[in-house]
């Protein structure tokens, strides 16, 4: 399997997990948290695979996203484009980096949903599951464009 195929496979698997129903038994909330964090972890693997894919011509020794997307990371056009994207607050990559930092923290990224009818709902809060699905789609669109520019090299 080549890097492009692996990236696609990981994105597809993340989508599958993000779309899985958690059920409605007493373990549904914990199961949803596990599904959300699993999909997020696969999204991280897909990001690493993408970075390997678009930088293969540079033969880099390091492929961790935290290193390649750092401001002092390797000076490659593809990485500059991704760093710029990461700095945009509304981008999928900015969202993903924030979520990955939470995932790797002691608290984790997933939050238990509280179903208390006495609580007042706060605004239009989107679940991690829905955010995952939306950002996976945005990533796939951006990856297509990134691959085109990478092929030009």
């Amino acid at each position: 399997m080549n890097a492009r195929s692996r990236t696609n496979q990981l994105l597809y698997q993340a989508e599958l997990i993000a779309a899985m129903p958690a059920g409605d038994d007493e373990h549904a909330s914990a199961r949803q948290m596990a599904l959300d964090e699993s999909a997020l972890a696969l999204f991280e693997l897909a990001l690493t695979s993408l970075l390997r894919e678009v930088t293969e011509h540079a033969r880099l020794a390091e492929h961790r996203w935290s290193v390649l997307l750092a401001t002092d990371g390797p000076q490659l056009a593809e990485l500059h484009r991704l760093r710029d994207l990461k700095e945009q607050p509304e981008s999928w990559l900015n969202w993903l980096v924030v979520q990955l930092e939470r995932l790797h923290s002691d608290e984790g990224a997933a939050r238990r949903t509280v179903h208390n009818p006495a609580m007042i709902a706060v605004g239009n809060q989107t679940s991690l599951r829905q955010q995952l699905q939306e950002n996976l789609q945005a990533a796939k669109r951006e990856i297509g464009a990134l691959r085109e520019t990478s092929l030009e090299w």
Side-chain angles (χ1 to χ4, degrees), residues 6-64:
R6 181 64 174 151
T7 303
N8 290 344
Q9 179 186 48
L10 290 164
L11 289 168
Y12 177 65
Q13 290 172 344
E15 285 179 301
L16 288 176
I17 290 177
M20 286 182 69
D24 60 357
D25 60 6
E26 67 271 11
H27 303 289
S29 183
R31 191 176 301 111
Q32 187 61 59
M33 290 172 64
L35 289 169
D36 291 347
E37 291 200 352
S38 298
L40 197 52
L42 281 169
F43 203 172
E44 179 178 25
L45 289 173
L47 176 60
T48 301
S49 181
L50 171 68
L51 291 169
R52 187 179 308 272
E53 175 187 341
V54 300
T55 62
E56 65 186 346
H57 64 279
R59 301 183 192 274
L60 300 174
E62 180 65 59
H63 291 97
R64 285 180 297 152

Side-chain angles (χ1 to χ4, degrees), residues 93-106:
L93 189 53
N94 180 285
W95 177 87
L96 179 59
V97 167
V98 169
Q99 296 306 314
L100 292 178
E101 288 169 354
R102 288 178 58 202
L103 179 67
H104 290 281
S105 74
D106 289 341

Side-chain angles (χ1 to χ4, degrees), residues 27-149:
H27 303 289
S29 183
R31 191 176 301 111
Q32 187 61 59
M33 290 172 64
L35 289 169
D36 291 347
E37 291 200 352
S38 298
L40 197 52
L42 281 169
F43 203 172
E44 179 178 25
L45 289 173
L47 176 60
T48 301
S49 181
L50 171 68
L51 291 169
R52 187 179 308 272
E53 175 187 341
V54 300
T55 62
E56 65 186 346
H57 64 279
R59 301 183 192 274
L60 300 174
E62 180 65 59
H63 291 97
R64 285 180 297 152
W65 64 266
S66 56
V67 172
L68 295 182
L69 297 180
T71 53
D72 61 345
Q75 299 302 306
L76 297 171
E78 295 85 353
L79 296 178
H80 277 291
R81 181 174 176 172
L82 287 167
R83 283 184 200 114
D84 289 345
L85 186 64
K86 185 182 87 164
E87 296 306 315
Q88 297 173 17
E90 299 299 317
S91 74
W92 67 269
L93 189 53
N94 180 285
W95 177 87
L96 179 59
V97 167
V98 169
Q99 296 306 314
L100 292 178
E101 288 169 354
R102 288 178 58 202
L103 179 67
H104 290 281
S105 74
D106 289 341
E107 293 186 25
R111 300 288 181 256
R112 187 172 298 279
T113 17
V114 179
H115 296 289
N116 182 349
M119 285 183 71
I120 299 171
V122 179
N124 187 5
Q125 292 185 340
T126 311
S127 69
L128 180 56
R129 176 184 188 169
Q130 187 175 356
Q131 291 175 35
L132 266 162
Q133 292 169 335
E134 291 168 3
N135 284 290
L136 280 162
Q137 292 307 310
K140 286 171 48 176
R141 287 188 299 272
E142 183 71 28
I143 288 168
L146 186 63
R147 282 175 173 160
E148 285 180 28
T149 58

